Amino acid sequence: MPRHVVVVGAGPAGLAAAEAALSAGARVTLLDSADRPGGQYHRMPPAEYDAFRSRAPRHGWRAFDRRRRRVLTHARCAWWPESSVWALERPARPGVPRVHVLRGPADGSDRRRTTLDPDALVLAVGAHDRVLPFPGWELPGVFTGGAAQALAKGERVVVGDRVVVAGTGPFLLPVAATLLEAGSRVLAVLEANTPGTVARGWSRRPWQLAAHAAKAGELGSYAALLLRHRVPYGTRRAVIRAHGDGRVEEVVTARLRADWSVVPGSERTLAVDAVCVTHGFSPRLELPVAAGCALRTTAGGEFVHVDDDQATTCPGVYAVGEITGIAGAPAARAEGALAGLLAAGGAPDTAAPRQLRRARDQGRAFAARLAAAHPIGAAWPEWLRPETVVCRCEETDYAAIRRAAADEATRAARVVRLETRAGLGPCQGRICGPTVAELNARLSGEPTDRTAGGPPACSPHRRPIAQPLRLSELAAAPEPPPEGPAPHLP
């Protein structure tokens, strides 16, 4: 009987894990909340758009399409699109958790519950944009870079005609390129870090950059597109305010020092109808935390702790892709292939795993370089005003966070959430959670409320129910998982 491997997430890492597990003889269930595989990097438009697709995406599309076809048409692969893991149930003894799945469109009324009890679990759930709050960021027309790119790639929708792209990191370039190709006019691309910070981060151990020549070529193609469209690229500059009546109409940009404090007198106003901001990425850690996986803290934030084989501290659970570090698609594929091979029972000391580990290690070096070149400046809270909304779901402003942090009775991280309701809205802190935790730690001097013998630390990633579900869905008895051959290729 072949081992059963469940892979959660069908982006570059998850698809590579599924392919490797199948090649090692395992039976694979691959599931994703989207209706098509690819993740954000290879986002595919709905099938209704296929007849109007003018050309395939450029970077790595052909290799992705071949892998997609091999996996989804394999006799031992079950592909579950539009499926969300809403809980992981730990067993009484250390082992692989039971996977609770909701199958069906997120807004559908007939979603079905089912459970899976795999021999191994590979988590490839990715990350989402991190956006630092600033006055006016709650206005319609202010988008994350990932959301703007997803709309352009997946729905052929442009977010605006006059757009500013701002934040930090190389992701600003593909966002701007996608908007240009979709028909938007990009007024400027603004990198918040100084040229010196960026140069020091990327030039450290320059001989290692040879391993990332493909990434350099990809970024070069984006830069060439910006040059053709005469899009200015500025460093040490950020969007610090947005204004508008009912939607964004203009943004105020300012020159920044190395710590992201604003240089007085450097403010400029640009008329826009959309602004895209991203300040790096936040890994989706709800499922790893629910499984009992340990986390590690780095200069780039919290990530899942894995060993040399991508295994987590939870037996039988592997973590791959951006939840282990923001290192790009090639590194994610290497991690996925290594984890899929070993989850299926493959030998860890053969030539293939050794080669994958080398590629993975190159990706980890890239992640460290990325974090050093594009850090979050310590002085960014100076952009905030008392009335600035920090939690958009609950409309909690900065003044409320400050009041709670100043009161000894409410400054503990868990109590701040209850006192201000920050992080208790529909997104359950996925967007504002890290920001609220950081602000409270700065203001109160209490980074955690863990006590000896008490409850675990308050964390924006700790959610027993990882995805929203209706009470009727929760009350319904789970259906047995379907058996049978792989479905048709989407």
Side-chain angles (χ1 to χ4, degrees):
M1 186 72 176
R3 284 174 62 83
H4 181 204
V5 177
V6 169
V7 181
V8 183
L15 209 59
E19 182 182 41
L22 289 167
S23 68
R27 179 170 62 91
V28 172
T29 300
L30 174 64
L31 57 91
D32 196 283
S33 58
D35 61 345
R36 289 186 151 194
Q40 176 74 347
Y41 191 78
H42 292 299
R43 183 175 289 274
M44 301 173 66
E48 292 79 6
Y49 287 86
D50 284 353
F52 305 99
R53 183 183 296 163
S54 57
R55 60 180 176 83
R58 294 170 295 176
H59 303 292
W61 173 263
R62 289 185 178 86
F64 158 73
D65 192 47
R66 289 193 296 269
R67 180 175 291 111
R68 175 180 72 101
R69 292 176 181 277
R70 286 195 298 268
V71 170
L72 300 193
T73 59
H74 199 288
R76 282 185 274 107
C77 178
W79 161 236
W80 290 12
E82 296 184 315
S83 299
S84 299
V85 176
W86 65 271
L88 293 178
E89 181 183 347
R90 301 186 204 178
R93 297 179 178 179
V96 183
R98 172 171 291 176
V99 183
H100 291 263
V101 184
L102 273 175
R103 303 192 65 192
D107 57 352
S109 59
D110 58 347
R111 297 193 298 178
R112 303 177 306 283
R113 271 186 62 195
T114 189
T115 60
L116 294 167
D117 292 293
D119 298 304
L121 175 64
V122 180
L123 297 176
V125 291
H128 56 75
D129 299 69
R130 183 184 180 188
V131 180
L132 301 176
F134 54 87
W137 77 308
E138 74 279 7
L139 285 171
V142 179
F143 295 84
T144 67
Q149 192 182 52
L151 286 170
K153 279 185 172 183
E155 302 293 338
R156 300 296 189 260
V157 172
V158 295
V159 296
D161 295 322
R162 294 171 54 85
V163 186
V164 167
V165 179
T168 187
F171 183 55
L172 301 178
L173 295 180
V175 170
T178 300
L179 292 172
L180 289 170
E181 291 177 338
S184 294
R185 179 186 174 192
V186 178
L187 303 180
V189 177
L190 305 177
E191 162 64 53
N193 281 292
T194 66
T197 300
V198 175
R200 283 191 298 272
W202 286 114
S203 62
R204 187 180 61 174
R205 297 177 180 176
W207 60 88
Q208 293 181 347
L209 291 173
H212 307 294
K215 286 184 180 294
E218 182 179 345
L219 292 175
S221 68
Y222 295 138
L225 181 63
L226 266 63
L227 284 173
R228 288 199 301 272
H229 287 266
R230 299 183 179 180
V231 177
Y233 180 91
T235 57
R236 63 187 307 174
R237 201 163 192 91
V239 171
I240 61 168
R241 291 194 300 277
H243 302 296
D245 183 9
R247 64 168 293 111
V248 64
E249 296 172 347
E250 63 181 26
V251 294
V252 177
T253 71
R255 190 173 176 83
L256 304 181
R257 300 185 181 93
D259 64 353
W260 289 22
S261 58
V262 173
V263 175
S266 65
E267 297 182 359
R268 298 177 185 171
T269 301
L270 287 172
V272 300
D273 56 12
V275 57
C276 302
V277 286
T278 182
H279 301 100
F281 295 93
S282 294
R284 300 179 184 271
L285 298 177
E286 299 92 346
L287 293 181
V289 169
C293 305
L295 305 181
R296 61 185 177 90
T297 301
T298 71
E302 279 191 313
F303 298 97
V304 181
H305 176 78
V306 294
D307 65 12
D308 203 41
D309 294 333
Q310 298 302 128
T312 71
T313 54
C314 180
V317 178
Y318 297 79
V320 298
E322 290 159 324
I323 58 174
T324 68
I326 308 300
R333 285 191 288 266
E335 290 186 357
L338 178 61
L341 178 65
L342 300 181
D349 54 355
T350 58
R354 286 196 292 268
Q355 183 177 2
L356 290 170
R357 289 189 189 98
R358 284 194 294 270
R360 185 270 318 279
D361 291 344
Q362 291 173 352
R364 288 180 175 175
F366 178 85
R369 194 184 302 273
L370 177 65
H374 302 278
I376 301 294
W380 71 265
E382 294 181 10
W383 308 350
L384 306 179
R385 297 174 174 176
E387 67 275 12
T388 301
V389 172
V390 176
C391 172
R392 293 189 291 188
C393 294
E394 293 293 324
E395 298 183 349
T396 304
D397 58 26
Y398 185 44
I401 302 293
R402 291 172 60 180
R403 285 194 301 270
D407 189 337
E408 188 174 353
T410 59
R411 67 176 51 168
R414 195 182 310 276
V415 183
V416 165
R417 294 186 66 187
L418 298 174
E419 178 73 12
T420 66
R421 294 200 56 79
L424 298 181
C427 89
Q428 288 292 288
R430 288 174 175 84
I431 303 301
C432 72
T435 298
V436 172
E438 180 180 345
L439 289 174
N440 184 63
R442 287 169 177 258
L443 294 167
S444 68
E446 297 189 10
T448 177
D449 63 349
R450 183 187 297 274
T451 57
C458 180
S459 167
H461 313 300
R462 195 178 301 280
R463 300 186 187 91
I465 296 180
Q467 295 290 333
L469 75 162
R470 300 174 180 88
L471 290 177
S472 60
E473 295 167 340
L474 183 62
E479 301 178 3
E483 300 288 344
H488 71 281
L489 185 69

